[in-house]
Amino acid sequence: MNFDSPLAWKRRRMEINPMDMESANAKLEAAKQNYGRDIRVFETVKASQPGPTAVSTTEETDEFFEFTPEDYYRLMAGKKEDKYLKTKKIREAETMARRSRTTKAVIRVRFPDGITLQATFHPSEPLQSVFDLLNKVLARPELSYYLYTTPPKKQIKDTNQNFFDAGFVPGAIVHFSYDLPRDDDSYSSPFLREDVMSLNGLELVPEPTKQPAEPASETVPAIPPPAVERKPTDKKAIKPKWLKM
């Protein structure tokens, strides 16, 4: 079954045993308590690719992440309005309105082995919050690493900037890399801790709300309508005119 499709994922969730649902919710809640965040772990590799995920030993050059003219025209075509046609006061008012409406930033950190870590932050938090979380969940936090976005490839260095100002609201995808050559043995081992990897594929499933049982309706015996007494009509027999006695 292809679990990439929403219908297949919905069927999978419907087939989950209630005991498994309870265990998954308990694991996710425990992780939230341990790491202070709502975190999810899943694979980003398509199910059609057979075999285990292999980490590429050749690192892409900077030219691979260069911003091409096609990327530029694609972004320009997606813009619905030109911000330069608005005054500074209007732009600031719109920015403040977006800030007040946005309450979370969903950040996905993609690792070279195809695993993605998803966590939720507040837009006003600094980008350092992502690094603080990674230092807790990484299997080898002592190794030097960095995060970057694409395209073009841009390393995240200003960690004091908040998620809103960095353009990471309502969400963003960042990439993880050790500050080591790709042929280093560190890339062949798991990037995340074992307890974090155990969350792979788990989703918080809300418990179904129980509908209150309706009280059994009492059967009311049908009451027959009251009998109507018919008074006998005292009518005299009328003799027809043609009858002669």
Side-chain angles (χ1 to χ4, degrees):
M1 182 184 295
N2 182 10
F3 292 118
D4 287 344
S5 64
L7 181 59
W9 176 244
K10 184 176 181 181
R11 289 176 180 171
R12 183 186 180 192
R13 289 182 61 177
M14 292 177 63
E15 296 171 358
I16 295 178
N17 187 289
M19 295 296 293
D20 295 337
M21 289 173 50
E22 185 177 352
S23 176
N25 291 348
K27 282 186 176 182
L28 292 172
E29 287 297 331
K32 182 178 180 180
Q33 295 295 327
N34 292 337
Y35 302 109
R37 302 282 178 184
D38 283 320
I39 61 176
R40 301 290 185 272
V41 178
F42 53 89
E43 296 182 24
T44 54
V45 179
K46 295 182 179 179
S48 58
Q49 294 182 355
T53 305
V55 180
S56 175
T57 57
T58 59
E59 186 173 5
E60 292 82 359
T61 60
D62 292 338
E63 287 76 10
F64 178 81
F65 299 102
E66 283 297 328
F67 198 68
T68 63
E70 290 78 8
D71 296 329
Y72 171 79
Y73 287 117
R74 190 182 303 112
L75 291 176
M76 292 300 296
K79 288 187 176 181
K80 297 181 180 179
E81 55 187 11
D82 189 358
K83 65 178 181 180
Y84 296 105
L85 297 179
K86 300 179 181 179
T87 63
K88 181 180 179 181
K89 188 175 181 180
I90 294 177
R91 291 198 302 269
E92 290 177 351
E94 291 180 348
T95 301
M96 293 299 297
R98 286 196 299 269
R99 285 177 180 268
S100 61
R101 292 194 303 265
T102 309
T103 58
K104 64 180 181 179
V106 179
I107 306 300
R108 293 182 175 182
V109 182
R110 288 186 177 175
F111 294 87
D113 60 352
I115 295 296
T116 294
L117 172 72
Q118 176 179 295
T120 304
F121 302 85
H122 193 274
S124 62
E125 291 185 78
L127 298 182
Q128 181 62 39
S129 304
V130 181
F131 292 85
D132 294 340
L133 176 62
L134 289 176
N135 292 336
K136 298 177 182 178
V137 301
L138 286 176
R140 304 185 64 182
E142 72 279 2
L143 297 179
S144 178
Y145 67 91
Y146 63 91
L147 300 177
Y148 63 93
T149 57
T150 61
K153 184 177 181 180
K154 182 181 179 181
Q155 185 173 341
I156 299 176
K157 296 181 179 180
D158 186 5
T159 59
N160 293 323
Q161 193 178 28
N162 61 43
F163 291 97
F164 199 96
D165 293 337
F168 289 177
V169 175
I173 297 175
V174 298
H175 300 266
F176 176 95
S177 178
Y178 284 128
D179 200 5
L180 300 168
R182 278 300 180 102
D183 56 356
D184 191 88
D185 294 338
S186 303
Y187 285 92
S188 60
S189 57
F191 292 87
L192 297 175
R193 291 164 51 100
E194 185 177 354
D195 62 317
V196 179
M197 282 300 300
S198 66
L199 306 177
N200 188 8
L202 297 184
E203 182 64 29
L204 189 63
V205 181
E207 296 181 359
T209 56
K210 296 182 180 179
Q211 298 293 339
E214 297 182 358
S217 57
E218 298 179 359
T219 57
V220 180
I223 302 176
V228 179
E229 295 183 0
R230 294 184 179 181
K231 296 181 180 181
T233 55
D234 297 336
K235 291 184 179 181
K236 295 181 179 181
I238 301 175
K239 183 171 61 174
K241 297 181 178 181
W242 53 267
L243 181 60
K244 296 182 178 180
M245 299 298 293

